[in-house]
Amino acid sequence: MAIAAMAMASAVSVGSASETRRIEIVASKFTYSPSEITLKKGEPVVLVLRTTDVTHGLKIEALGVKSEISKGKDTEIAVTPMQVGHFVGKCAHFCGKGHGSMTLQVNVVE
């Protein structure tokens, strides 16, 4: 019973320091919004990806992220960056003429 109470307490702990930060990223017609995000080294985050038009993708090699983003469905990716730096995420699913310029700047800081 005590274990169940602890599990519920941690699941309901809104606003606590241990709550995983969620970052919403919307892909549409050759852009990501926001076009730049900042993460902290060692801090787990969940990227919530969605698209407003066609299927897109997101690939950030240095962070081990590669996912498809389908219209009408949120895609959630858990990430814990372990190195500081500036990384470029790219669309990983051909989405049309401007596909090659569709990027997301990811800054990982201490």
Side-chain angles (χ1 to χ4, degrees):
M1 187 102 104
I3 294 172
M6 288 189 317
M8 284 181 60
S10 66
V12 180
S13 59
V14 175
S16 73
S18 64
E19 185 176 315
T20 301
R21 183 168 68 130
R22 298 170 63 84
I23 301 173
E24 294 186 8
I25 300 170
V26 178
S28 64
K29 206 163 212 170
F30 320 126
T31 64
Y32 293 103
S33 181
S35 61
E36 183 173 350
I37 61 173
T38 300
L39 309 176
K40 289 185 180 178
K41 178 182 173 185
E43 178 186 303
V45 297
V46 173
L47 304 179
V48 181
L49 310 171
R50 71 179 54 98
T51 176
T52 61
D53 49 16
V54 299
T55 299
H56 292 281
L58 179 61
K59 182 177 183 179
I60 312 168
E61 287 187 43
L63 302 179
V65 170
K66 184 173 181 184
S67 185
E68 191 167 275
I69 311 165
S70 300
K71 188 173 180 177
K73 177 180 140 187
D74 287 356
T75 301
E76 296 190 4
I77 304 169
V79 178
T80 304
M82 298 311 291
Q83 61 186 38
V84 172
H86 304 285
F87 310 102
V88 178
K90 298 179 180 179
C91 185
H93 185 95
F94 183 76
C95 56
K97 197 174 187 177
H99 167 76
S101 63
M102 187 170 176
T103 61
L104 172 70
Q105 179 66 42
V106 181
N107 305 303
V108 180
V109 298
E110 285 289 341

